[in-house]
Amino acid sequence: MAPDPGPGPAAPDPAALAALAVALLRVDPAGLGGLWLRARSGPVRAAVLAALGDFGARLHPAMDDATLLGGTDLAATLAEGRLVVRAGLLAGDRFTLVMAERCPPGLAARLAQRLDAGGAALVALDEAAGPDEGLPSALADRLGLFLALDGLVWSELPDLAPDPARLAAARAALPGVATAGAAAALTHAAAAMGIGSARAVLLALACARAGAAWRGAAAVERADLETAARLVLAPRGLPPAEAEAPPAPPAEPPPPDPQDGRETEAEALDFPTELLVEAARAALPAGLIERLAAGRAARAAAGSGAGAPRKGQVR
């Protein structure tokens, strides 16, 4: 029998959530893809960016493919009499920074292609200037983590930079973290929130694995699923009034062998879907889910560029 899930999750401390998001992205940048950082320019945003470390590049919307992706340096080739190839700004494993409002569809498509190929993680700055200005859908679907810095005060921030020794240990442990039952729990939570993207569930699973590794645990547990719901599923969900009803729960599994009192990992993670949904919605400031949903609708109506997710005819 699954354990009693206990009381519902409380709203997280915004500063602690910011520090955790930075740590998880540092643990598994390739698996999470990057960070959608919704905040105005200021010392709080600067502190988060500083905690992420050095950036390989800050992208300008007018950059051409050769600058972004690399290629033959024609001037150097002619001058030296041999083929000279320059690496693009997206090469390497350091974070890349882009302004969400200044990211045209063409650049968004190239960045999405790079993320799909396992390139450097991306940090997209969204200053929330208006509902029709924001992160293009092609990138919003691929950046695993979302962080809004509303209400945070710089003087009250803790040190956001992860401890180097703990970070190294988490990276080493990440490949061995067990995830039995986690995918099913996150899939049910995503469906209950009206999220139709399979990529969202995979990113949430990567977040849960990184969370377990950061805690030093051998397997994903309830706390890691709640973290994934807050940082990955929350911004992708529909407002409660628009989200579809969750699917009927599956049939009860057969009782465990009375000769074996141990629970399986899947049973240990089998707690009500509504707790994950509650954790996700409690993580965002009041009204932000509605504003994010309105922004997605506005950008979809205007055409958000190649790579945007399409809703299929069959669920």
Side-chain angles (χ1 to χ4, degrees), residues 224-298:
D224 308 311
L225 295 180
E226 291 181 355
T227 295
R230 288 167 173 148
L231 292 174
V232 181
L233 298 184
R236 294 167 163 84
L238 294 176
E242 300 177 26
E244 298 179 358
E252 286 292 329
D257 187 339
Q259 296 181 353
D260 185 0
R262 297 173 299 174
E263 284 187 317
T264 66
E265 289 176 287
E267 288 170 337
L269 287 173
D270 183 19
F271 63 96
T273 298
E274 58 266 22
L275 291 183
L276 279 183
V277 176
E278 184 181 344
R281 290 176 175 154
L284 299 183
L288 184 53
I289 290 180
E290 288 76 11
R291 294 197 295 275
L292 290 173
R296 286 195 300 269

Side-chain angles (χ1 to χ4, degrees), residues 62-249:
M63 286 179 174
D64 57 19
D65 285 352
T67 304
L68 290 172
L69 307 176
T72 301
D73 187 328
L74 184 58
T77 296
L78 293 175
E80 299 182 19
R82 61 180 182 85
L83 181 64
V84 178
V85 178
R86 302 293 187 193
L89 294 178
L90 299 182
D93 57 0
R94 290 193 295 173
F95 294 111
T96 301
L97 190 69
V98 65
M99 293 298 298
E101 293 89 348
R102 302 171 193 168
C103 186
L107 176 58
R110 293 194 291 275
L111 292 174
Q113 183 181 25
R114 183 64 176 169
L115 290 172
D116 288 343
L122 181 70
V123 176
L125 301 181
D126 178 5
E127 296 190 341
D132 58 340
E133 296 181 358
L135 192 62
S137 298
L139 298 180
D141 195 43
R142 289 167 171 81
L143 299 187
L145 304 184
F146 173 88
L147 188 61
L149 302 181
D150 302 16
L152 284 178
V153 179
W154 178 80
S155 60
E156 299 175 358
L157 282 180
D159 183 6
L160 300 177
D163 175 69
R166 184 178 178 184
L167 183 60
R171 287 172 174 169
L174 182 66
V177 173
T179 60
L186 293 169
T187 299
H188 282 93
M193 297 177 67
I195 300 172
S197 170
R199 186 180 281 116
V201 176
L202 295 177
L203 290 170
L205 185 61
C207 179
R209 289 177 67 244
W214 178 246
R215 292 188 305 105
V220 169
E221 298 174 3
R222 169 177 168 173
D224 308 311
L225 295 180
E226 291 181 355
T227 295
R230 288 167 173 148
L231 292 174
V232 181
L233 298 184
R236 294 167 163 84
L238 294 176
E242 300 177 26
E244 298 179 358

